[in-house]
Structure formats: C-alpha cells, structure tokens
Amino acid sequence: MRDALVVGGGLAGSAAACLLARAGKDVLLIERESAPHHKVCGEFLSVEAVAHLRKLGVDPLALGGVPIDRIRLVSGAVEAEAPLPFGAFGLSRYVLDEALIARAAEAGAEVRRGVRVAEIDGRIVRTNQGDHEGAHVLLATGKLPVREKGVAPSGRAENGFVGFKMHYRLAPLAARRLSGTIMLALFDGGYAGLQMVEAGRANLCFVVRRTLLARIGGDWGALLDWICANDAMQALLADAEPLFDRPLTIANLAYGIAAKRPGNGAVIPLGDQWGMTASLTGDGMSIALRSAFLAARCLEAGEGAATYGRLVDAEAKAQIRRAMAFQYALERPLLRQAGCHLARLLPWTLTFAARATRLREWVEDPVEDRPGTTAN
Ligand SMILES: Cc1cc2nc3c(=O)[nH]c(=O)nc-3n(C[C@H](O)[C@H](O)[C@H](O)COP(=O)(O)OP(=O)(O)OC[C@H]3O[C@@H](n4cnc5c(N)ncnc54)[C@H](O)[C@@H]3O)c2cc1C
C-alpha cells in the first residue's frame, strides 16, 4: 500500500506528488499521456501561480515565459487598457506541465506515464495496467472525469462551453503590439484571449457556448471569422501562421465547484476536479496549485479529506463565485458594453477587477496558520 496515489500528472497532480515525495511519503503518480502534450488553456500564469511554482523549484522565466503586465479588453469597437496589479507570465502548458512532472520525479515520486486510470474504488485505483492501493487517492484528472464507485457521474453541463486553442507565429508588428499584454475580446456567447508565450509563439484560446457553436458550425475557419469580426483581433491575427495541424478542443466545460463526494474520504479532489473557476479570469492554474499545497500539507500533518475540504473551501470558494459572477455579467450585452466603456474611461476599474478575481496572497503554512483546523 502506497502512502498516496496521485491520479493525473497535470499541475495539481504533479505539484502534490512533488510535495508529498519531498515530505518522505511513498507516492505513485499516474498520468495517461506518455509524452509532453498541449492542453486547452489561456496559458496566463498569474502572480499566485508563479509564487507556488517557485516554491516547487520551477521558475517560469527560466523556462522562457514572457512577462505580462497589462490587460486589454475589447468588445466591438470599444477598447480599454490598464496595468495589471501584479506581474504575470505567458508560458505554454507543454513546457510548464513537463517541468512540473519532472520535479515530482526528482523529488522521489514514482511517475508512470502512458497509464490510464479506468476506475477508483475507495483506496483502490484500477488502471489499464493493473491495480494499486493507497492510503490516500488524490484525484487530479482536470476536466476529465474518472468513474468512481459509489459516486454518480456528473451530467452534461446545460449549454456549457466548448474551449479551443491554437498557437500562432504572429506578423512582427502584431507580435510587438501584443508584447507584455493579455488581450481579452468579449463576444455574445463567448470570449477569446490572446497573449504571447515562450519562443515567439502567441496563444489564442477561446470558449463558446454550445448553442452558439451549433449556429456558427464546428468549422475552424468559421470560428476564426467569428473571432476576427472584432477589428482588434483581426489586426493581430492577420497573416498569422498557425503552429498546430489542427486546433485543440475540449467540450462540456462545467464551471463551478464540484459536488461533494460521499464515502470514507479516501479520495481527495484537486484542481479542476475540486472546482473550475471562470477561465476568463486566468486563475485556474493558481487554484490547481494551491489545492495541491493544501492537500499535501494536510496529509503531512496527519489530517485528511475533511480538513482539506475546509481549507480549500475557505481559500477558493469565494474567488470562484466572484469570477463566475464576473464572467456571467460580461455575457450580457448591456453589462458588457457598460463595463468596457467604464474600463476605457476609468482604467483602474479593470486593474481592480483583475485583482478581485484572484486567490488571496500566499499563506506559508495553510494548516498551522488557519484557526479552527482540527484532525479528522
Ligand atoms: C479555455 C480555458 C482557458 C483557461 N485559461 C487559463 C489561464 O489562462 N490561466 C489559468 O490559470 N487557468 C486557465 N484555465 C484553467 C486551467 O487550465 C485549469 O484550471 C488547470 O489546468 C487545472 O489543472 P489540473 O491539474 O486540475 O488539471 P490538468 O492540468 O487538466 O491535468 C489533468 C491531468 O490528468 C491526466 N488525466 C486525465 N484523465 C486521466 C486518467 N483517467 N488517468 C490518468 N491520467 C489522467 C491528463 O492527461 C492531465 O495531464 C483555463 C481553462 C480553460 C478551459
């Protein structure tokens, strides 16, 4: 029996495996992909994510991440720009996730790649290459569900979002215009983010409501026309060279906090398995990393799923609610236009919104620093 089985070698899983292995625990990390891979993500690393990564020995700058210190919001012909209230980075998930899984292995976690978990039955994890048992199972499969005995599968999100991503080599002038800036373009039924990442690449990532996708049609050309109906987007993407053969896509994005798990608390959900914040705010990676720190610290301190649940709720629930309210508000045409005009007239409101939709600052020891945390 292992001390911990970690299912999923993304940000949350690799971070948790790394921390637990550093604490001397016997950890097995299981990742279904056998090699580095791209993921649908805006690749905007906010200040808290960077703080957590540095604690793990991963420096976004050393990996080629590009600093981002401004936000540009566009809706129709209205454009607003403001400084971010913190320094952020653009870094691809291809590079970042690989660095983190390598850290987990260096710390002493056993990493098995190319192994898919098919089912979790309490403390038993069943994979396509055999079963494993752990005192704790940390579920970190991101947006992908895993069958769990005794837990009802989550349904299809009603008119949920579908996400897309493509990397580009921009024309030189466009790359200079975008440099140091995260650009968010708001539309009816979705939004798009565009920013630079490492090696002179730009990342275009967007989400659309399923109903809108059905109207536009699933064709990539038609989707790009929809994005480029916005002049500011068109100006940056004109003559851009796509760097993937085809766009990456992910369906059925269900934002919000996942339902509580019944049972004996053997399974601890991390990252997107615990909850998915509105992607517009670019803070999902921070929450994933934070959940890993909280879970690792709880297990190290001999505490279990219940204490972890309380800590993660206290730190991230309100952030997710604020971020979701913000995303829903911007979906309404009148509020969206009013918000963009306000941001153009008073750029500090944009800076304020960027601050308000983040996790709080770093807490050194979440278990000891929080009053009222008791052992299970
Ligand atoms: C459109 C969009 C844009 C976003 N933009 C941003 C942004 O700009 N900034 C930001 O901070 N956040 C952003 N996010 C959120 C961010 O991507 C997620 O919150 C973050 O990736 C969650 O990390 P995770 O470790 O929980 O899951 P993931 O990073 O998804 O990792 C899950 C891992 O589990 C593995 N896995 C899955 N199933 C199995 C299985 N059965 N067996 C074994 N392994 C398995 C997968 O291969 C994967 O490696 C965005 C999200 C979306 C949808």
Side-chain angles (χ1 to χ4, degrees), residues 7-13 30-33 37 39-46 49 93 97 115-118 140-146 163-164 191 195 205-207 250 253 255 270-273 276-277 279 282-286 288:
V7 183
L11 296 186
I30 303 170
E31 165 57 43
R32 67 172 194 163
E33 301 285 343
H37 56 286
K39 281 181 180 162
V40 176
C41 183
E43 305 185 329
F44 174 84
L45 270 175
S46 71
R93 294 297 300 273
D97 288 40
V115 179
R116 195 179 65 81
V117 171
T141 53
K143 291 146 204 88
L144 299 176
V146 173
F164 296 86
Y191 84 92
Q195 64 171 44
C205 184
F206 59 91
V207 296
I250 186 160
L253 294 173
Y255 295 109
L270 305 182
D272 282 357
Q273 279 292 319
M276 250 183 86
T277 191
S279 45
D283 213 34
M285 289 192 273
S286 299

Side-chain angles (χ1 to χ4, degrees), residues 52 274 290 294 310-319 358-361 363 366 370:
H52 286 85
W274 173 75
R290 188 68 189 149
L294 292 173
R310 277 199 298 280
L311 288 173
V312 73
D313 278 5
E315 292 210 17
K317 224 174 179 172
Q319 186 276 0
R358 318 235 77 78
L359 280 184
R360 278 177 312 187
E361 296 300 325
V363 177
R370 290 259 173 272

Side-chain angles (χ1 to χ4, degrees), residues 94-300:
Y94 188 93
V95 170
L96 178 61
D97 288 40
E98 202 50 26
L100 217 47
I101 205 167
R103 276 276 169 274
E106 282 161 25
E110 184 185 342
V111 177
R112 294 211 190 155
R113 299 178 78 158
V115 179
R116 195 179 65 81
V117 171
E119 188 185 55
I120 298 174
D121 179 0
R123 297 175 203 283
I124 312 277
V125 166
R126 303 194 196 288
T127 80
N128 57 346
Q129 296 179 20
D131 296 354
H132 302 276
E133 187 172 6
H136 296 279
V137 177
L138 283 72
L139 181 60
T141 53
K143 291 146 204 88
L144 299 176
V146 173
R147 198 168 56 228
E148 268 182 84
K149 244 191 180 154
V151 180
S154 51
R156 196 175 159 90
E158 181 128 342
N159 193 18
F161 284 99
V162 182
F164 296 86
K165 167 170 139 173
M166 172 62 91
H167 277 184
Y168 287 99
R169 180 96 43 220
L170 299 185
L173 187 63
R176 275 202 297 282
R177 274 221 68 208
L178 188 62
S179 157
T181 305
I182 163 80
M183 173 150 143
L184 293 175
L186 309 174
F187 304 96
D188 266 335
Y191 84 92
L194 184 65
Q195 64 171 44
M196 300 303 291
V197 291
E198 77 279 356
R201 303 164 82 101
N203 179 28
L204 172 69
C205 184
F206 59 91
V207 296
V208 289
R209 288 258 182 217
R210 234 178 24 231
T211 44
L212 178 69
L213 188 62
R215 244 185 299 138
I216 298 176
D219 175 63
W220 178 239
L223 281 166
L224 270 187
D225 288 347
W226 175 73
I227 300 272
C228 289
N230 180 280
D231 290 345
M233 273 290 180
Q234 159 67 27
L236 290 174
L237 289 172
D239 301 323
E241 175 201 349
L243 299 175
F244 302 155
D245 291 342
R246 65 178 80 91
L248 262 67
T249 179
I250 186 160
N252 201 28
L253 294 173
Y255 295 109
I257 295 158
K260 289 255 184 281
R261 283 179 163 71
N264 58 7
V267 179
I268 298 183
L270 305 182
D272 282 357
Q273 279 292 319
W274 173 75
M276 250 183 86
T277 191
S279 45
L280 177 74
T281 58
D283 213 34
M285 289 192 273
S286 299
I287 294 179
L289 291 164
R290 188 68 189 149
S291 68
F293 273 74
L294 292 173
R297 191 62 192 95
C298 283
L299 299 193
E300 264 178 69

